[in-house]
Amino acid sequence: MKQLEGKVVVITGGCGLLGGKFCRAVLQAGGRVAVADIDLSQAESFAESLQSEFGRESACAVKCDITEKESLLSAIAETERAMGAINALVNSAYPRNKHYGRSFFDVEYEDFCGNLSLHLGGYFLASQQFARHFVQRGGGSIVNIASIYGVTAPRFDIYQGTTMTMPVEYAAIKSALIHLTRYMAKYLRGTGVKVNAISPGGIADGQPEAFLQAYAEYCSEKGMLDPDDICGALVFLLSDASRYINGGNLIVDDGFCL
């Protein structure tokens, strides 16, 4: 079943760990995708690989910096020239500065504020500009990628014995993003624009085995998830099957938050 037949979806961070899988999931569901990434050459290369698999008209590449208004407006215009009317935006970019991820007491004020500006501010700006465009066009859908750590407090014990931590900036960003999603859903009521979020659990990406085992102790079956495990929720929220879901936050975490 092609749940996204005829839909054009812009995916920011389209070359990323999640974004790349999201692009493929949209195409497998019958939609078409604009790979929107700050690295245009990488986006073009990825879009070409998608075209070779799904057809020439299936994908395009656009340069997009979610922290720059003009870049977002250009991405919207370029996508519509290449693919026609846009139906949805998926915010999956992960902008951060070089000091991101330090331990709590090592985080400088400037870096904390800077990372909130890049990530949360970027999601706000992208959502704002696409929402304005969707209102003018009679409707659309926005899906923000949040996190379980926007829903629940960190489980710091799973990081013991590793050099990893749960960045304080991440908790602040993702919790605020969930509420921003609700705010926009309510503000845009009656415009035909719906705004939802997905909060994934941890995504496997080469983490130490000790961490993976400790994480899995809190889960029901699998533990750390693969990017593909999030795609079903995304396709659902982009499809007409979720028509009356607005301001929602779908948690996909294998029971980690329980």
Side-chain angles (χ1 to χ4, degrees), residues 51-65:
Q51 290 170 349
S52 66
E53 182 176 354
F54 294 95
R56 184 178 177 183
E57 305 300 321
S58 64
C60 71
V62 294
K63 182 176 177 61
C64 184
D65 180 347

Side-chain angles (χ1 to χ4, degrees), residues 166-211:
M166 215 300 287
V168 63
E169 308 99 304
Y170 190 81
I173 290 163
K174 294 304 188 181
S175 57
L177 178 59
I178 292 169
H179 197 73
L180 178 63
T181 296
R182 297 190 184 109
Y183 176 100
M184 292 187 293
K186 194 67 175 284
Y187 184 83
L188 294 165
R189 179 183 177 187
T191 66
V193 181
K194 65 174 189 173
V195 190
N196 289 293
I198 298 174
S199 286
I203 305 297
D205 188 25
Q207 294 91 343
E209 185 60 31
F211 170 78

Side-chain angles (χ1 to χ4, degrees), residues 81-125:
R81 279 196 296 269
M83 312 200 83
I86 301 168
N87 301 101
L89 165 71
V90 178
N91 273 318
S92 68
Y94 194 179
R96 55 204 183 276
N97 72 21
K98 63 181 181 180
H99 299 305
Y100 174 83
R102 289 175 170 176
S103 182
F104 178 77
F105 287 115
D106 297 326
V107 176
E108 298 291 344
Y109 172 79
E110 293 79 6
D111 289 323
F112 181 85
C113 295
N115 279 306
L116 261 68
S117 177
L118 287 170
H119 197 145
L120 181 62
Y123 274 46
F124 156 75
L125 185 60

